[in-house]
Amino acid sequence: MIVQLEHISKTYQSPDSEIAALEDISFGIREGEFVSLVGPSGCGKSTLLSIVAGLEAPSDGIIRVDGEEVRGVSRKIGYMPQKDQLFAWRSIWDNVTLGLEIQHQKDKKHIRSVEMLLERYGLKEFAQYAPGQLSGGMRQRCALIRTLATDPRILLLDEPFSALDYQMRLAVSDDIYAIIRREGKTALLVTHDIAESVSMSDRVVVLSSRPGRVKNVHDLSALAGLAPMERRDHPLFHQFFNEIWKELEISA
């Protein structure tokens, strides 16, 4: 397992009480696997993603990435937040190379890699455009390229399509899925959208209501090899969707 979560719990302290956000979370992610986290609002999905990213420390438990315990932010992990967070005053080129600037990696090798990513995913001619001149889908591709630029082994996706309308969301999820698969990355996606999780994932981890616990893990290997839009037309898609829906109804 490239990512291993072992008995992760998270408790927040307030002046007069404690709030248990997560409790005894354990599961692993294989290299090259796409895993989704779903659960009721407030169950700690985004908190768990922040812990895997090294942005927060667990109250209990250990997370290992590539066999090493996570004790802070790692270059092996790339984080893609809910909004594209492209800076309006920077060109697309300056936005997608921002991570390289911060990590002092803006060398010929990494610059060439970004150039290839922009060309491969149809954004080369827009490199000097401002973010406001691009569609929502193009902006999300730019945000993913910015994340890929530093060549992380693992991508953490925190509801990256939530700001898009339904039709755009379908198209962009298919697009982003194809990019992640082509680049051979391991991915962990947080989403409220059951259909999105079933259409994109190798496995779906279902969390209970707060404090979040692992309620079930669905293996979607029967849908392997199908693109997200193809999966939505498959009979098994509806079976998995209904199973997860019922589990979340019980949790709510």
Side-chain angles (χ1 to χ4, degrees):
M1 296 288 181
I2 190 170
V3 179
Q4 186 68 53
L5 291 79
E6 302 173 4
H7 307 291
I8 298 298
S9 296
K10 180 67 177 181
T11 300
Y12 291 102
Q13 306 288 335
S14 68
D16 53 2
S17 66
E18 292 185 343
I19 299 173
L22 298 166
E23 186 174 284
D24 199 26
I25 301 282
S26 294
F27 65 89
I29 305 174
R30 293 181 285 273
E31 187 159 13
E33 191 175 25
F34 196 121
V35 175
S36 288
L37 280 174
V38 300
S41 294
C43 73
K45 299 185 295 296
S46 292
T47 297
L48 187 58
L49 210 64
S50 293
I51 291 172
V52 175
L55 300 172
E56 291 189 51
S59 301
D60 290 294
I62 295 174
I63 294 179
R64 302 184 194 279
V65 170
D66 206 18
E68 298 179 358
E69 184 177 349
V70 173
R71 295 184 178 275
V73 176
S74 168
R75 288 190 177 183
K76 295 179 181 180
I77 295 175
Y79 192 98
M80 187 172 172
Q82 292 183 16
K83 297 182 179 180
D84 60 61
Q85 295 186 345
L86 300 177
F87 292 116
W89 61 89
R90 293 176 67 107
S91 67
I92 293 304
W93 175 260
D94 289 338
N95 269 287
V96 297
T97 57
L98 180 60
L100 297 179
E101 288 182 29
I102 293 171
Q103 295 187 11
H104 305 291
Q105 291 182 306
K106 209 169 179 181
D107 51 42
K108 289 183 179 179
K109 175 185 174 182
H110 287 93
I111 290 298
R112 180 57 187 150
S113 176
V114 173
E115 290 173 342
M116 290 174 63
L117 287 168
L118 288 170
E119 183 171 7
R120 185 178 297 163
Y121 301 117
L123 292 166
K124 181 180 179 180
E125 64 184 284
F126 302 99
Q128 298 307 318
Y129 280 50
Q133 295 175 282
L134 273 59
S135 69
M138 294 170 75
R139 290 173 63 110
Q140 286 302 102
R141 269 186 280 159
C142 290
L144 180 58
I145 289 171
R146 179 186 59 202
T147 306
L148 292 171
T150 57
D151 197 25
R153 294 181 64 187
I154 302 150
L155 298 177
L156 305 180
L157 312 171
D158 190 0
E159 299 195 71
F161 317 120
S162 60
L164 304 174
D165 63 51
Y166 180 70
Q167 292 299 328
M168 179 66 74
R169 186 168 183 151
L170 289 178
V172 173
S173 63
D174 204 72
D175 196 14
I176 298 299
Y177 172 88
I179 294 172
I180 290 171
R181 290 300 194 190
R182 181 170 180 173
E183 299 301 322
K185 300 301 182 181
T186 303
L188 179 60
L189 168 71
V190 162
T191 179
H192 281 92
D193 191 325
I194 300 171
E196 189 171 270
S197 70
V198 176
S199 69
M200 299 183 74
S201 307
D202 298 307
R203 287 185 296 144
V204 176
V205 179
V206 181
L207 298 185
S208 69
S209 55
R210 193 178 67 203
R213 306 178 185 88
V214 175
K215 190 168 188 177
N216 201 358
V217 179
H218 293 264
D219 184 345
L220 309 185
S221 56
L223 297 172
L226 297 177
M229 293 301 289
E230 294 173 326
R231 288 191 182 196
R232 289 173 185 263
D233 292 328
H234 196 287
L236 283 176
F237 174 88
H238 303 286
Q239 177 184 321
F240 286 122
F241 180 97
N242 290 331
E243 288 174 2
I244 296 170
W245 175 264
K246 289 176 182 177
E247 290 170 359
L248 293 180
E249 274 195 317
I250 295 169
S251 292

